[in-house]
């Protein structure tokens, strides 16, 4: 919560880890190291509180976000309410559709942090420079957009599945790495 501490930690992260994380992201593989270093100086590091709104469906889309840590809930309006479309975790992108679809200036999804989350924000103009540097990235973006549209359609068609995923995340089930199952009718205690 200390602004001075956050600034110091963000500076250290940019100096020591950001370039490696950008290079490890499939979208940025193949870019010149000097270009990634330049991009790393321009990005903004965002820290989110639980349930903090990141984007609001329909509002102007001005950036691409890379999830550093945490879980981000994507939802869309459906009738009078909203439906959970997907969840993003470390390494996922938010805003790829908004960056490549012509005529789309607003966010396609509302995004909110489900827990303490860290994001890397890349301004639209900086990301357009990334595409100009390596046009093959646009193909990867389209693949991601198609997958997200399919996921959105599946969620709208199978509302119960969307509710199950939401419940699992709220209960913390997706945060575990393993599970222990005990068959009580076989167990000898």
């Amino acid at each position: 919560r200390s602004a001075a501490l956050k600034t110091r930690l963000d500076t250290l992260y940019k100096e020591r880890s950001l370039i490696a994380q950008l290079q490890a992201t499939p979208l940025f593989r193949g870019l010149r190291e000097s270009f990634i270093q330049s991009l790393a100086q321009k990005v903004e590091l965002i820290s989110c509180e639980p349930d903090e709104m990141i984007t609001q469906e329909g509002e102007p889309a001005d950036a691409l976000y890379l999830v550093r840590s945490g879980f981000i809930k994507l939802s869309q309006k459906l009738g009078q309410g909203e439906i959970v479309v997907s969840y993003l975790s470390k390494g996922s992108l938010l805003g790829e559709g908004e960056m490549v679809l012509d005529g789309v200036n607003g966010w396609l999804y509302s995004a909110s942090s489900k827990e303490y989350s860290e994001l890397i924000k890349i301004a639209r103009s900086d990301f357009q420079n990334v595409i100009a540097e390596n046009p093959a990235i646009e193909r990867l973006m389209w693949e991601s957009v198609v997958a997200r549209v399919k996921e959105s359609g599946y969620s709208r068609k199978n509302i119960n599945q969307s509710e199950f995923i939401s419940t699992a995340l709220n209960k913390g089930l997706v945060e575990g790495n393993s599970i222990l199952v005990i068959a009580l009718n076989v167990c000898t205690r």
Side-chain angles (χ1 to χ4, degrees):
R1 297 186 191 273
S2 166
L5 179 61
K6 181 182 177 353
T7 300
R8 177 72 178 134
L9 290 175
D10 286 352
T11 301
L12 287 172
Y13 180 79
K14 281 186 173 184
E15 289 172 359
R16 300 180 184 175
S17 299
L18 180 58
I19 292 171
Q21 185 171 11
L22 290 175
Q23 288 173 329
T25 303
L27 193 63
F28 299 119
R29 285 190 191 131
L31 292 177
R32 291 179 292 120
E33 187 171 340
S34 60
F35 185 83
I36 289 180
Q37 288 174 347
S38 171
L39 179 64
Q41 297 304 314
K42 297 174 185 174
V43 302
E44 182 181 349
L45 302 178
I46 308 287
S47 297
C48 301
E49 299 280 330
D51 298 319
E52 182 178 333
M53 289 302 296
I54 300 163
T55 66
Q56 190 70 36
E57 184 178 353
E59 289 185 2
D62 59 345
L64 177 77
Y65 292 90
L66 173 63
V67 180
R68 284 175 40 197
S69 66
F71 285 99
I72 307 299
K73 176 180 82 170
L74 296 184
S75 59
Q76 283 185 313
K77 294 176 184 169
L78 181 66
Q80 298 297 323
E82 68 175 27
I83 185 169
V84 175
V85 173
S86 181
Y87 288 93
L88 306 178
S89 60
K90 182 178 180 179
S92 300
L93 294 172
L94 168 63
E96 61 269 50
E98 292 82 346
M99 294 295 120
V100 297
L101 293 171
D102 289 332
V104 174
N105 296 320
W107 290 106
L108 300 173
Y109 306 96
S110 293
S112 62
S113 179
K114 288 304 293 173
E115 58 185 23
Y116 292 101
S117 302
E118 300 288 330
L119 306 171
I120 298 170
K121 181 179 179 181
I122 303 170
R124 180 184 287 272
S125 59
D126 292 331
F127 191 73
Q128 288 170 341
N129 292 336
V130 169
I131 291 177
E133 170 77 13
N134 189 351
I137 288 175
E138 193 167 3
R139 183 183 58 78
L140 293 172
M141 297 285 283
W142 277 107
E143 290 172 4
S144 181
V145 170
V146 168
R148 180 85 36 86
V149 168
K150 285 180 181 179
E151 194 172 33
S152 175
Y154 180 81
S155 294
R156 288 176 179 270
K157 187 176 179 182
N158 300 291
I159 294 175
N160 291 338
Q161 178 71 16
S162 175
E163 289 177 12
F164 171 75
I165 292 171
S166 182
T167 300
L169 190 68
N170 289 336
K171 298 291 183 187
L173 297 177
V174 296
E175 296 168 10
N177 293 335
S178 60
I179 188 168
L180 173 65
V181 179
I182 300 173
L184 293 176
N185 60 342
V186 183
C187 181
T188 61
R189 313 262 189 269

